[in-house]
Amino acid sequence: MAAPITIHLEFGGGAELLFSGVKKHHMTLPSQSQPWDMKQLLVWIQQNLLKERPELFVQGDSVRPGILVLINDADWELLGELDYQLQDKDNIVFISTLHGG
Amino acid sequence: MPVLCSRCAERRAMLKRPKTGHSLCKECFFWAFEEEVHQTIRWGPASGGKDSTVLAHVMKLLNERYSYGLELMLLSVDEGITGYRDDSLETVKRNQQQYELPLKVVSYEELYGWTMDAIVKQVGLKNNCTFCGVFRRQALDRGAIMLKVDKICTGHNADDVAETVLMNILRGDIARLRRCTAISTASEGEGVVPRCKPLKYAYEKEIVLYAYFKRLDYFSTECIYSPNAYRGYARNFLKDLESIRPSVIIDIIHSGENLSVREGVKMPVQGTCSRCGYISSQALCKSCVLLEGLNRGLPKLGIGKHHRLHNKILAQQPFTEKEESKLKPVEF
């Protein structure tokens, strides 16, 4: 069993509007048999945090194209994207690029 | 295992560049981004959004790094949209202080006597973006003339340009298709200030990450009036393509740049508006026709093609009842 982990989530660039305007969230992910990965985190966010219009945040099993994801300030494309295994105290940032220029 | 920067091979890579596929650390990314903008500039408006905020920051930085000798100013348009532009203008004012640049704000209300709030009240949410787009273009020129500047830099990025190429192809707008990829426009006539797009080759992803890593202060709220639906479709289509093939944005710009129009294709002839003198391919410019429509309570006058009415407007002849009925606002 993997122990519960706490993570810090942040939504910006307009993505926070889908989360009642709240940008920063401190969350504890419950323990489960496998370690948490980004794919599972996206499902968890959809079920527990996302307040409206899920199609503006997720597409298929990933984020909607145009939303940037940073894991501890680094582009998730460098870290395996959906397969990245979350560590305790990770900082995950979602920035929408789809709002206003 | 952290990925190392492919340029300096010392620091940890923080992003993957969509244009090149390179993995770069923050410092090498800042350098590459700034140098590419430097390459794009061959010789400013400010909305408070990410693009103009990054543009103001990079232009100021490069002006100092390379002694361009440019005198930079911020120019911002207040469309008169309560709860949207009033908030973003606050960001522009903070930018002005942070970058120590003079700021000029021109408003639709002072230039045209109409705010977007009042326009939407009359025309509804169907064609309001047409009014806003046409008025903004002219407002920037008028503001630039008041500031006596030689050039307007806009924050249009690579994604914006690729979208515009696609939209012009989809509309069959050959004249705009030919113009839209130019980095810099030549002066088209009196009252039009040449424009340039220093961020033309900068991906939106990189602009957003540049602003994020540098902790730049920008405003990101969607306009409260209905978005430009057509551009929205082009944008979503491009974003989907980009997720499969990141170079697609630069590839579309490349296609646009290399299109050549066969000789003998009819192009609109640029003249000047008989009322205000602004460039126009018709007797009256789009802005004057839209304004005439608003002032007469016939908002559809500037929507669609009613060119044959231009002479009537100029001669101050009344419209027939049939003509008027087609131009009245739709009841909501």
Side-chain angles (χ1 to χ4, degrees), chain A residues 47-67:
Chain A
Q47 288 167 351
N48 295 279
L49 282 180
L50 193 57
K51 298 290 187 220
E52 54 179 301
R53 295 175 289 170
E55 70 280 5
L56 296 185
F57 189 71
V58 284
Q59 185 169 313
D61 56 10
S62 192
V63 292
R64 182 180 178 211
I67 293 181

Side-chain angles (χ1 to χ4, degrees), chain B residues 133-149:
Chain B
V134 171
F135 286 170
R136 186 179 312 104
R137 189 185 157 77
Q138 209 181 81
L140 285 173
D141 279 320
R142 294 222 215 158
I145 287 165
M146 290 180 214
L147 284 171
K148 299 192 171 65
V149 297

Side-chain angles (χ1 to χ4, degrees), chain A residues 10 12-14 16-17 59 64-66 68 70-75 77-79 91 93 95-101, chain B residues 3 12-16 23 26 47 49-52 204-205 208-209 212-213 215 218 220-222 235-236 239-240 243:
Chain A
E10 197 178 323
E16 70 276 12
L17 299 174
Q59 185 169 313
R64 182 180 178 211
L68 304 178
L70 298 171
I71 300 170
N72 301 322
D73 257 8
D75 186 356
E77 290 181 40
L78 297 169
L79 299 165
N91 183 36
V93 181
I95 312 174
S96 174
T97 64
L98 302 166
H99 290 82
Chain B
V3 181
R12 187 178 161 209
M14 298 303 264
L15 88 154
K16 190 166 178 194
S23 305
K26 269 189 208 175
S47 65
K50 58 185 185 326
D51 301 313
S52 32
E204 190 149 64
K205 172 180 175 178
V208 170
L209 290 183
Y212 179 80
F213 289 147
R215 306 277 171 222
Y218 74 87
S220 56
T221 301
E222 204 57 77
R235 186 178 175 75
N236 290 340
K239 284 286 157 200
D240 285 347
S243 66

Side-chain angles (χ1 to χ4, degrees), chain B residues 224-235:
Chain B
I224 54 168
Y225 297 129
S226 71
N228 187 335
Y230 200 69
R231 186 172 281 278
Y233 283 120
R235 186 178 175 75

Side-chain angles (χ1 to χ4, degrees), chain B residues 191-254:
Chain B
V192 183
V193 180
R195 299 188 178 205
C196 68
K197 306 178 189 124
L199 301 181
K200 180 191 159 184
Y201 296 114
Y203 270 56
E204 190 149 64
K205 172 180 175 178
E206 298 197 349
I207 290 172
V208 170
L209 290 183
Y210 189 92
Y212 179 80
F213 289 147
K214 293 248 178 189
R215 306 277 171 222
L216 302 183
D217 180 9
Y218 74 87
F219 178 82
S220 56
T221 301
E222 204 57 77
C223 174
I224 54 168
Y225 297 129
S226 71
N228 187 335
Y230 200 69
R231 186 172 281 278
Y233 283 120
R235 186 178 175 75
N236 290 340
F237 175 60
L238 257 181
K239 284 286 157 200
D240 285 347
L241 285 177
E242 188 193 3
S243 66
I244 305 165
R245 178 184 157 96
S247 68
V248 71
I249 287 170
I250 220 77
D251 296 340
I252 290 175
I253 296 177
H254 183 69

